[in-house]
Amino acid sequence: VHHNTGKTTLCYTTNAYQAYLFSCFNSPQRLYGLSPVTPIVFMMQSVSQTITKRIIYRPFRDLMTAMPFAQKWLVWDKRRESELAFDNGVTVVPALANLEAILGQAIAGSMNDEVNFMRIIENSKQTMGARGKGGLFDQATEVVSNIVRRRQRSFQTQGYSMGVLCILSSTRYKNDFLDKRMDEVKALNLPNVLCLRRKQYEVVPQDRFS
């Protein structure tokens, strides 16, 4: 991680490169046995719809469409501001961080931002608990686990599989969601998962601190 390169910049670059790889195929759905009309989705999510659109989706859309490669070779619906839809069925979508937004989607990549600040609700009606009462609803766990399963289901291959899920957040407290997720990755020795954690002074310009 170079100085002045934060987690958001890394995720933008990663997803833009993966979207570029998909753009090299007229019908990337055929690589994975999907219907030719199935949208291949790069999903952008954060703690609220407003933040997702203004802070996550819009800068990524501007970055992606401003690239010389995109200007020369890619075709997208410029009138559709709500999502970035390329003509080969690859779509970048800002969405609410809930299960309804994920259902039925072929999710190849994602940027799930500030997951440590998502909601945790005890006695929630969204989760069945003991004796028919509400249980513990952990928004980050629900969203991330379902996105991982959907990517594995739609893009499982014996070789290289395009697309990356980026799960990121600043730290909120000890043993927050990402702490537990990184412990899980280490304990299960999960393949193809890269964990990065940096102190703030390691990624900001060196002349900012004494």
Side-chain angles (χ1 to χ4, degrees), residues 1 22-23 27 29 37 40 42 58 60 78 103 105 110 123 125 128 139 147 149 157-158 175 179 181 187 195-196 202:
V1 178
F22 275 102
S23 75
S27 183
Q29 292 85 352
V37 297
I40 292 177
F42 283 77
R58 190 73 232 185
F60 179 82
K78 296 179 175 60
L103 291 175
Q105 304 281 356
S110 76
N123 195 27
K125 295 180 180 179
M128 184 63 69
Q139 183 183 15
I147 282 183
R149 283 198 296 269
T157 70
Q158 294 182 351
N175 293 325
D179 276 348
R181 174 60 177 164
C195 295
L196 294 176
E202 292 177 335

Side-chain angles (χ1 to χ4, degrees), residues 149-166:
R149 283 198 296 269
R150 289 195 170 275
R151 169 168 164 71
Q152 291 174 338
R153 186 180 308 159
S154 298
F155 298 94
Q156 191 74 38
T157 70
Q158 294 182 351
Y160 179 80
S161 181
M162 296 180 293
V164 172
L165 304 180
C166 294

Side-chain angles (χ1 to χ4, degrees), residues 7 112-118 167-172 176-178:
K7 59 188 185 298
N112 300 91
D113 192 27
E114 297 298 7
V115 292
N116 288 340
F117 293 84
M118 290 184 177
I167 317 298
L168 62 150
S169 183
S170 49
T171 299
R172 188 175 186 183
D176 54 22
F177 173 80
L178 278 185

